[in-house]
Each structure stands twice: as structure tokens, then as C-alpha cells.
Amino acid sequence: MTTNQVWTTYSEDLKRFIISKVKDVTIADDILQDTFIKIHTKLHTLKDITKLKSWCFTVARNSILDYWKSTNKTFEIANFEAETEIIENSHTEKDCLRGILKHLPKLYRDPLFLSDIKGLKQQEVADQLHQTLSTTKSQIQRARKLIAQGFMDCCGFTVNEEGNLVGEIQEKEDCKVCNYN
């Protein structure tokens, strides 16, 4: 399937989804454009075309998170998590991430959440947790490595030559982390 065909098939649904999260049509248009740039450049990596729709929504979700991070605004994670399931009973990387985060030690989970989800600067995280900046940086880096390792353990992801995590989400029954949550 070409990017143009993906646009024709899913752009309206993706736009509605993005608007529901950012509540601004102009910003939603920018995020939609960013989403389709990512889709265009990574479409060839999708191995299972039956997962195209959920993959496109995952790209859109990540683009929204990138927007919130880049504007340094906080948002209600509960509202973001309340989105409707795209495909009933589908198993996504979000399911795996939940399982991985659930097993992440609090020592690493808290600084990671404040930095990567709430968008605080690492010095602000260190101040809030009453610890040194170097300790905070170390904990965040360790948390990110544990998450990557979790995806490798859970669904058999691998790290490519550029150091990026690559792979596909397994079916839930084959998933070593999600199947035991």
C-alpha cells in the first residue's frame, strides 16, 4: 500500500483522533502532517499489512506525545489513555509497555514518568525527587534501557545497527510480559 492510499483510507479518522486529544484544529493539522511524514518514511518497515490501521494510530499517538513534549505542556494522562480501542481485542505495544512499566522498579519509574511523560526538565525532576542531577539522569537512562530490554524479552524485539529498537508486537498469547499480567 502506498502513502497516498493510506492517506485516502485513514487521514480523516486520524485527524478526528488527533483533534480529540489536542482540541485545536490547526495544531491537529500539523500533527497529522507530522504523522504522515513518519508513516511515509516507515511504511516499508510494516511487516503485517493487517495491522496497518492500528500502526497508523500508534504513529499518531506518538506524534501527539512528541507535540506535548516539545511544547513542554503537561496533560492529563488519564484522558490520553481513555481513547477507544481501534480494533477490539487487538494487542498493541501500549499493552506491552504497560506490563513493562508495571514491573519497572519505582526507583526508575518515577523519574522516567516525570521526565518523559510529564515533560519536566531533568533538573526539575532531580529537585522534585530531592536527589542529584547525575542520579536522576542515571535513573532515567537505566529506566529507558530496562524498557527496551522489556520489549526484547516480551516480544522478541532487537536493536538494529543504529541502536534503534525494531520488531513487531506478538499476539498476546505469545507475549511473555502481557500474557502474565
Side-chain angles (χ1 to χ4, degrees):
M1 186 172 263
T2 66
T3 306
N4 193 31
Q5 291 169 316
V6 175
W7 174 268
T8 303
T9 307
Y10 298 120
S11 65
E12 289 302 315
D13 291 339
L14 289 168
K15 185 171 181 176
R16 278 192 295 278
F17 170 72
I18 295 167
I19 290 171
S20 76
K21 302 301 174 197
V22 298
K23 312 291 189 228
D24 184 307
V25 176
T26 305
I27 293 169
D29 285 337
D30 290 344
I31 294 172
L32 182 64
Q33 181 180 12
D34 182 55
T35 299
F36 269 91
I37 289 170
K38 291 174 184 173
I39 288 171
H40 177 72
T41 59
K42 298 291 182 183
L43 188 58
H44 69 281
T45 65
L46 184 65
K47 293 182 179 129
D48 185 355
I49 197 71
T50 64
K51 296 180 180 181
L52 177 63
K53 185 174 183 178
S54 62
W55 179 75
C56 288
F57 275 84
T58 299
V59 173
R61 246 189 321 277
N62 291 337
S63 295
I64 294 166
L65 286 172
D66 291 345
Y67 163 75
W68 289 118
K69 250 178 113 172
S70 71
T71 59
N72 219 6
K73 293 181 181 177
T74 58
F75 60 96
E76 285 296 319
I77 195 74
N79 290 342
F80 194 72
E81 295 291 327
E83 67 210 29
T84 57
E85 271 303 308
I86 298 157
I87 300 172
E88 295 232 1
N89 300 324
S90 69
H91 180 239
T92 67
E93 57 277 341
K94 190 165 95 174
D95 299 322
C96 293
L97 184 58
R98 272 195 198 113
I100 294 165
L101 288 174
K102 185 176 172 183
H103 294 99
L104 196 64
K106 185 172 174 41
L107 173 71
Y108 302 123
R109 188 174 52 237
D110 290 349
L112 179 80
F113 177 79
L114 292 171
S115 172
D116 290 3
I117 303 298
K118 297 267 298 191
L120 297 178
K121 292 184 181 348
Q122 290 185 352
Q123 182 62 60
E124 294 171 320
V125 174
D127 294 343
Q128 190 167 334
L129 296 176
H130 308 292
Q131 59 191 28
T132 66
L133 178 60
S134 63
T135 299
T136 300
K137 286 182 175 185
S138 175
Q139 289 171 339
I140 291 169
Q141 284 303 99
R142 180 72 178 135
R144 289 174 182 159
K145 286 179 183 172
L146 287 170
I147 289 170
Q149 186 61 50
F151 274 103
M152 289 188 274
D153 295 343
C154 179
C155 286
F157 277 54
T158 58
V159 177
N160 67 12
E161 287 122 22
E162 292 86 38
N164 297 319
L165 202 56
V166 293
E168 282 190 32
I169 297 299
Q170 305 289 323
E171 294 300 322
K172 185 167 183 163
E173 53 273 3
D174 298 328
C175 188
K176 296 175 188 84
V177 171
C178 301
N179 206 21
Y180 297 105
N181 286 333

